Amino acid sequence: MRTENGRIIHLANYRRTDFVLERVDLTFELDPTETRVEARLIFHRREGADRAAPLVLDGDELSLSGLLLDQVEMEAGRYDATPDSLTIRDLPESEPFEITITTLINPEANTQLMGLYRTNGIYCTQCEAEGFRRITYFPDRPDVLAVYTVNIIADRQSCPLLLSNGNFLGGAGYGEEKHFAAWFDPHPKPSYLFALVAGDLGVIEDTFTTMSGREVTLKIYVEHGKEPRAAYAMDALKRSMRWDEEKFGREYDLDIFMIVAVSDFNMGAMENKGLNVFNDKYVLADPETATDQDYANIEAIIAHEYFHNWTGNRITCRDWFQLCLKEGLTVYRDHEFSADQRSRAVKRISEVRLLKSEQFPEDAGPLAHPVRPTKYREINNFYTTTIYEKGSEVTRMIATLVGRDTFRKGMDLYFERHDGEAVTIEDFVGCFETASGRDLSQFSLWYHQAGTPLVSVSTAHDAVNGVFTLSLEQMIPPTPGQSLKEPMHIPLRFGLLAEDGSEMTPAAVAGAEITGDVLHLTGRRQSITFSGVTARPVLSLNRDFSAPINLHFEQSSADLAHIARHDGDLFARWQALSDLALPSLVSAARDARNGKKVTPDPALADTLLALAGDETLEPAFRAQVLALPSEADIAREIGNDNDPDAIRAGREAVFADIAGRDTALFATLFARHRTEGPFAPDAGSAGRRALRNAALGYLAVAEGTPARAVAAFEAADNMTDLSAALTVLVHRFPDAPEAAAALEAFRARFTDNALVLDKWFAIQATVPGESALDRVRDLMENPHFTASNPNRVRALIGTFAFANPTGFNRADGAGYRFLAEQILAIDPKNPQLAARILTAMRSWRSLEGGRADHALNALRSITAAEKLSSDVSDIVDRMTKA
Ligand code: TRP
Ligand code: ZN
């Protein structure tokens, strides 16, 4: 465990290193419990550096077992070694000099999954952000770039495969039982991109010919027997490589690109140079075991990690405050990739759903932080949805502000100016300022001010003079450490809809800069007049979610329904529908809480059913239409004093009302959209399945019996339909014998497939209502549950806490106490995982008083624990700070 629990790192204290690292030579002698690592590091002093300064290297739980200076053993008095640092004094005048460090590490005992660890007999590394210092003493920071040679020595039998970054140099036998391999990565890189994998794995192989005609070998390594399930990932990889060439002019730069899938992994995947390591959940797929969502995730994450080769690896971050420089930008790139591969509007809807359900609550709670923070205690806790998703939205806004072609010019300039460097957000933004000639200093506040801006809108129409007036006011709520905010530059795509649904073109506009269909809101208050507008228009604002904001706009149900039915922008149609639904769901929750009968708004049901039944619209979009705002969406809309039981009861009443209004339509959708023939994971087929399964959810309620879900479960010939039917059955009829039987049949059929059993855990963890906790406790005793595997823990405990509002937020507080217990049990083994799951409680202050008290008590029980990791104590402290 870390010792420097309370230390805060400040951006303002950034300083370059005194020493420049020229070369790194690593030799690993792999052993399950005693791996020997020899690191030869060649340094010289930076020009202008204090020549007496000591060399200070980072470590984490290390012990030094050898230290040489220019191949001669160092005298004890010239250095200090502790588990977390190595300080060397009296370095020679002559340069460069070579330091050789030997450490002994224990991969088997590494349960944090940071540094070098073993998973299912495979040696593997995870170094971002600060894992390399768990392997050897090193200047473990992203602005130290060096060329690496890596030698791996291991048992020939158990480790036929020896992999590292870059290109393969050669290998041979080594004694009786061992062999070795050497790798050389010609591209200077920071230590967080180092990777080593060794073990016995199966492989699928392919090639890719780059735009300049070079042939690159592609390999995906998986456990033996799982090779066929890697085919879709390989296909996604090749499409990603082509797309990056076509859309950004980026070509791959080594002879080989490798992906390794492992089953114990803290996050989704890691972009190590030439050797990506993946959570196997984001590699393995076949129709029998993967849902359409799994396929989409694999495509997106394969692309994401591949795109990092340029945005992250060739150009990296100067320090970890700049994390969004690579993550926000790379998420934006993978979003654009998926939009090009699938339906752009539907992709955008799912992005915005995720942004609103994950990032908006983060930005509105105690963990809120700017996209470019200025301080942190534990960097692992900054791989947040704000850095990733809001970071992506900020990049998207730059593209919106400067226009598509200029955005590409700015990106070209970024690659040209900064290739091979470790840079900052200012460097990135500067490229778009040069390319566009625009001053982006006000825009840059998006990086520095936390909190979701609230834009209040009012409109007036003067029919006599043909003037439409739009008044906008922006307010950015206070967030931890930032009480006062400056007005930001907010790009709002908009349109004025005529009564027949066509787009109106005003004769003139005054009061704001307009570029194309983008209105630039820059003032705190702004009044914009459109002239030559004789008939009253319906304003469609923030089309495509051009800015990640909350809108306060009292638009009438009739106007929202008009947009939902007629807007030219499909995203805007979905957004108008959800804006129509939310007030209805909020008042239903209020009625339910007050014991009043809920009377749903018929305008909502009419519009929703009209869109769902509109055969001219793509099925995937209609499935999104049928997915009412979630319980968490409603809670966010209410804002405070939330009662999750009342929210659910109100939503259920609205859902049942819709289900009962046109059961025939749902039956038709269900019958018509069955996908026949061999399974295809393409977006069109996935959309049909999504629509059909959404209809099944309504039918189960309208019909009130499990029969149809049981039949769907029995007839399903792919995992999407199978798991959807099981979910409807178990969530709607949790106590029915059919539900128990289906769960058991599912378990028995997939007993050897841990990733599928994760779905089985997750479905049960999200059974609504207070009984879920007992189910979760029972499932923790199930032999399929492994407390040391992050996917298992996330599927059961994480899903329960994040995705079961009524189960987790039980009025008696038992859900919170359970989570606190689990956090304390996980923390000593895997602090990163514990801290991440704990963030499920980030919105506890918006709960009604009784629950909030229980939540705070549970958080305090964590604080009171004798020993906490810096990861968990950082989160719990921020969450409980006044
Ligand atoms: N850089 C990785 C990505 O976004 C994610 C990552 C950061 C990560 N830290 C990690 C993955 C720790 C695993 C473990 O693509
Ligand atoms: Zn990333």
Side-chain angles (χ1 to χ4, degrees), residues 94-162:
S94 68
E95 293 178 318
F97 53 85
E98 183 189 274
I99 304 279
T100 307
I101 300 165
T102 305
T103 48
L104 290 175
I105 54 179
N106 184 346
E108 199 75 74
N110 185 351
T111 58
Q112 292 187 26
L113 314 184
M114 292 297 287
L116 176 68
Y117 64 97
R118 291 245 288 173
T119 155
N120 280 351
I122 309 296
Y123 293 92
C124 121
T125 56
Q126 172 56 43
C127 294
E128 187 177 7
E130 297 178 339
F132 194 79
R133 62 184 66 183
R134 296 170 56 76
I135 295 172
T136 187
Y137 293 102
F138 201 80
D140 190 14
R141 38 187 284 174
D143 62 345
V144 174
L145 309 183
V147 169
Y148 287 57
T149 306
V150 180
N151 306 290
I152 312 169
I153 302 162
D155 181 61
R156 202 196 299 254
Q157 274 266 295
S158 60
C159 293
L161 203 69
L162 306 172

Side-chain angles (χ1 to χ4, degrees), residues 38-361:
E38 188 188 275
R40 288 179 19 178
L41 312 176
I42 297 177
F43 289 102
H44 66 256
R45 287 179 183 82
R46 188 183 301 284
E47 223 177 272
D50 172 7
R51 299 195 62 87
L55 174 64
V56 184
L57 303 177
D58 303 303
D60 181 11
E61 296 188 323
L62 287 180
S63 70
L64 183 70
S65 69
L67 182 61
L68 311 181
L69 172 65
D70 290 325
Q71 295 300 322
V72 179
E73 197 171 323
M74 282 200 86
E75 307 133 46
R78 286 176 72 185
Y79 66 89
D80 287 314
T82 71
D84 47 40
S85 78
L86 172 61
T87 305
I88 306 175
R89 291 173 295 269
D90 309 325
L91 288 158
E93 273 304 313
S94 68
E95 293 178 318
F97 53 85
E98 183 189 274
I99 304 279
T100 307
I101 300 165
T102 305
T103 48
L104 290 175
I105 54 179
N106 184 346
E108 199 75 74
N110 185 351
T111 58
Q112 292 187 26
L113 314 184
M114 292 297 287
L116 176 68
Y117 64 97
R118 291 245 288 173
T119 155
N120 280 351
I122 309 296
Y123 293 92
C124 121
T125 56
Q126 172 56 43
C127 294
E128 187 177 7
E130 297 178 339
F132 194 79
R133 62 184 66 183
R134 296 170 56 76
I135 295 172
T136 187
Y137 293 102
F138 201 80
D140 190 14
R141 38 187 284 174
D143 62 345
V144 174
L145 309 183
V147 169
Y148 287 57
T149 306
V150 180
N151 306 290
I152 312 169
I153 302 162
D155 181 61
R156 202 196 299 254
Q157 274 266 295
S158 60
C159 293
L161 203 69
L162 306 172
L163 310 176
S164 190
N165 318 87
N167 297 320
F168 180 64
L169 282 183
Y174 189 90
E176 282 280 288
E177 278 150 26
K178 295 188 174 183
H179 68 151
F180 84 91
W183 293 79
F184 175 69
D185 180 2
H187 300 281
K189 66 168 175 289
S191 50
Y192 82 86
L193 291 173
F194 166 79
L196 174 153
V197 172
D200 189 1
L201 290 165
V203 66
I204 65 165
E205 228 184 295
D206 209 327
T207 60
F208 178 83
T209 306
T210 69
M211 59 204 266
S212 72
R214 277 188 312 106
E215 193 177 277
V216 179
T217 301
L218 310 177
K219 294 191 182 195
I220 301 184
Y221 294 96
V222 296
E223 280 171 20
H224 286 292
K226 296 184 175 170
E227 295 87 346
R229 288 165 66 198
Y232 184 76
M234 181 65 88
D235 176 60
L237 173 61
K238 289 191 287 181
R239 285 185 281 123
S240 305
M241 295 178 85
R242 189 62 72 214
W243 186 89
D244 212 14
E245 294 185 342
E246 285 167 357
K247 296 292 155 122
F248 285 97
R250 297 298 107 199
E251 188 174 356
Y252 187 62
D253 55 5
L254 288 165
D255 303 338
I256 181 164
F257 185 79
M258 297 174 282
I259 291 173
V260 179
V262 300
S263 50
D264 294 270
F265 203 67
N266 275 346
M267 308 261 267
M270 180 63 213
E271 70 264 25
N272 316 303
K273 184 79 188 188
L275 179 56
N276 290 358
V277 176
F278 270 62
N279 186 326
D280 58 0
K281 169 183 162 84
Y282 297 119
V283 172
L284 301 174
D286 63 22
E288 203 199 339
T289 59
T291 61
D292 290 315
Q293 187 61 56
D294 292 326
Y295 279 96
N297 290 341
I298 290 169
E299 181 179 78
I301 296 178
I302 292 272
H304 179 94
E305 307 309 332
Y306 175 72
F307 296 157
H308 267 315
N309 191 53
W310 276 95
T311 51
N313 301 4
R314 291 287 290 247
I315 305 181
T316 195
C317 302
R318 187 192 74 172
D319 53 69
W320 293 120
F321 296 101
Q322 321 296 330
L323 186 56
C324 68
L325 175 86
K326 73 179 180 80
E327 296 304 347
L329 174 57
T330 305
V331 170
Y332 171 72
R333 277 152 51 71
D334 84 57
H335 282 176
E336 284 297 294
F337 169 72
S338 293
D340 283 347
Q341 305 287 309
R342 292 163 178 259
S343 159
R344 185 164 278 272
V346 173
K347 172 66 182 157
R348 189 67 186 137
I349 291 168
S350 63
E351 286 161 18
V352 172
R353 272 191 199 279
L354 182 77
L355 185 76
K356 288 187 172 181
S357 70
E358 302 299 325
Q359 201 277 326
F360 279 27

Side-chain angles (χ1 to χ4, degrees), residues 388-408:
Y388 278 67
E389 272 72 33
K390 189 174 182 179
S392 164
E393 295 301 321
V394 174
T395 312
R396 175 180 297 276
M397 284 191 284
I398 295 179
T400 302
L401 282 180
V402 303
R404 201 181 242 297
D405 296 342
T406 308
F407 182 76
R408 171 67 199 268

Side-chain angles (χ1 to χ4, degrees), residues 454-509:
L454 175 65
V455 176
S456 303
V457 186
S458 63
T459 62
H461 183 237
D462 172 354
V464 177
N465 296 305
V467 175
F468 178 68
T469 308
L470 166 60
S471 306
L472 299 173
E473 182 172 349
Q474 58 167 303
M475 193 281 288
I476 301 129
T479 46
Q482 294 185 328
S483 44
L484 297 174
K485 315 270 167 115
E486 295 298 316
M488 315 227 275
H489 187 167
I490 301 179
L492 296 167
R493 287 194 196 277
F494 76 104
L496 304 178
L497 293 184
E499 218 190 320
D500 66 354
S502 67
E503 199 94 1
M504 294 164 111
T505 334
V509 189

Side-chain angles (χ1 to χ4, degrees), residues 6 34 138 271 298 322 365 469 661 702 737 776 779 797 863 881:
E34 198 168 80
F138 201 80
E271 70 264 25
I298 290 169
Q322 321 296 330
T469 308
R661 267 174 203 264
V776 172
L779 287 166
I797 301 168
T863 314
K881 222 187 287 169

